[in-house]
């Protein structure tokens, strides 16, 4: 940071340098934090795999379907984390391939409902479809937008207690120039102090929740990246104790 002594061109240049320096400092700190978060998220499942492997090798643990299932689930968790990081890296570099084609909005939200219907039923949560049949087709990559909706619905299921509802809808925005896809739940909601950070990588408002109990905090970051790669926007509104809506 440099001291600004005037409000002329030199002063404006000094102020611009200060802003640039502050931005670089924040970026550097964010990079360090992300590296630490990745190391933390990898360390726990790797420790589980190594622990099981050593116990099996030393004969301290007998092989069983339960042991192999635990190893398989941990390996899948690691694979998902690596895949998610790869998706974010491609999106950041502007190299994420999009295979666009015309898709009906109804088809997108129906696909999400079908994919999560069994999980919702097991959780005692109603998964409701409210499509608008008169909407034009969207020129999107259906797999990527489905990934967005899957992340949002999975997130809603984790935070909606039994007896709640998750409603998926597609509507024209007020200006009529865009289509809004919404995932609205009647869950626990998000605290106001957490709302500005929910799309940040590895951010979890519930600090007590471990990765094995849900995501590692990449789902919403991926959703934002995929939506922005399509030239769209994603927003969240929430009231604690009443529910959350992602648009």
């Amino acid at each position: 940071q440099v001291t600004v002594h005037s409000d002329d061109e030199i002063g404006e240049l000094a102020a611009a340098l200060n802003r640039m320096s502050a931005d670089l400092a924040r970026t550097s700190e964010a990079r360090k934090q992300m590296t630490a978060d990745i190391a933390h998220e990898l360390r726990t499942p790797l420790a589980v795999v190594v622990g099981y492997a050593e116990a099996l090798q030393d004969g301290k643990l007998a092989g069983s379907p339960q042991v192999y299932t635990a190893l398989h689930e941990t390996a899948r968790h690691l694979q998902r984390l690596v895949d998610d990081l790869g998706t974010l890296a491609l999106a950041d570099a502007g190299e994420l391939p999009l295979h666009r084609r015309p898709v009906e909005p109804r088809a997108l939200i129906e696909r999400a409902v079908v994919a999560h219907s069994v999980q919702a039923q097991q959780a005692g949560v109603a998964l409701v479809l409210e499509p608008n049949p008169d909407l034009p087709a969207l020129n999107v990559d259906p797999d990527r937008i489905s990934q967005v909706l899957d992340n949002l619905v999975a997130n809603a299921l984790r935070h909606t207690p039994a007896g709640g509802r998750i409603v998926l809808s597609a509507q024209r925005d007020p200006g009529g120039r865009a289509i809004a896809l919404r995932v609205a739940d009647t869950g626990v909601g998000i605290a106001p102090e957490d709302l500005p950070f929910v799309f940040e990588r590895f951010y979890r408002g519930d600090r007590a929740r471990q990765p094995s109990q849900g995501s590692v905090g990449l789902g919403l970051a991926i959703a934002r990246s995929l939506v922005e790669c399509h030239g769209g926007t994603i927003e969240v509104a929430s009231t604690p104790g009443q529910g959350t809506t992602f648009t």
Side-chain angles (χ1 to χ4, degrees):
Q1 296 288 306
V2 298
T3 303
V4 180
H5 294 287
S6 63
D7 57 2
D8 56 9
E9 290 87 348
I10 300 300
E12 291 176 0
L13 175 61
L17 285 170
N18 285 339
R19 288 193 297 271
M20 181 179 67
S21 176
D23 288 342
L24 287 171
R26 282 192 294 270
T27 301
S28 177
E29 184 61 32
R31 187 185 70 250
K32 292 177 182 177
Q33 184 60 50
M34 183 177 173
T35 301
D37 288 337
I38 292 172
H40 172 76
E41 298 294 347
L42 289 172
R43 186 179 298 115
T44 301
L46 282 174
V48 172
V49 172
V50 170
Y52 273 117
E54 289 178 347
L56 288 167
Q57 184 181 39
D58 296 340
K60 297 178 181 178
L61 181 67
S64 68
Q66 292 79 13
V67 170
Y68 300 138
T69 297
L71 280 169
H72 183 247
E73 290 178 351
T74 304
R76 283 178 58 83
H77 172 74
L78 278 168
Q79 184 178 35
R80 285 194 300 270
L81 175 59
V82 172
D83 289 344
D84 287 348
L85 290 169
T87 298
L88 287 170
L90 288 173
D92 286 346
E95 297 176 357
L96 187 68
L98 294 178
H99 304 289
R100 293 177 181 260
R101 62 181 176 86
V103 184
E104 297 292 334
R106 178 188 179 93
L108 291 170
I109 56 178
E110 280 182 343
R111 181 173 171 179
V113 169
V114 171
H116 296 274
S117 58
V118 173
Q119 185 182 359
Q121 185 177 10
Q122 292 173 344
V125 175
L127 199 54
V128 182
L129 176 67
E130 289 187 355
N132 185 328
D134 300 323
L135 296 175
L138 300 172
N139 185 33
V140 298
D141 183 328
D143 291 333
R144 293 300 186 184
I145 296 301
S146 291
Q147 186 177 357
V148 172
L149 292 172
D150 285 343
N151 284 344
L152 296 180
V153 175
N155 194 62
L157 282 170
R158 279 193 296 271
H159 297 93
T160 302
R165 283 163 48 96
I166 300 173
V167 180
L168 282 76
S169 63
Q171 301 172 341
R172 288 186 184 272
D173 77 332
R177 292 175 295 181
I179 302 300
L181 305 179
R182 289 190 176 89
V183 177
D185 65 57
T186 59
V188 297
I190 302 171
E193 61 269 23
D194 291 325
L195 269 180
F197 308 105
V198 295
F199 294 109
E200 298 296 325
R201 298 167 192 189
F202 296 107
Y203 186 82
R204 288 193 294 267
D206 183 359
R207 300 298 183 183
R209 179 163 56 86
Q210 297 300 315
S212 60
Q213 297 172 282
S215 72
V216 295
L218 287 176
L220 293 180
I222 289 174
R224 180 176 63 178
S225 292
L226 294 179
V227 170
E228 290 178 349
C229 283
H230 281 82
T233 60
I234 185 169
E235 301 171 351
V236 59
S238 184
T239 302
Q242 297 184 22
T244 301
T245 300
F246 283 92
T247 303

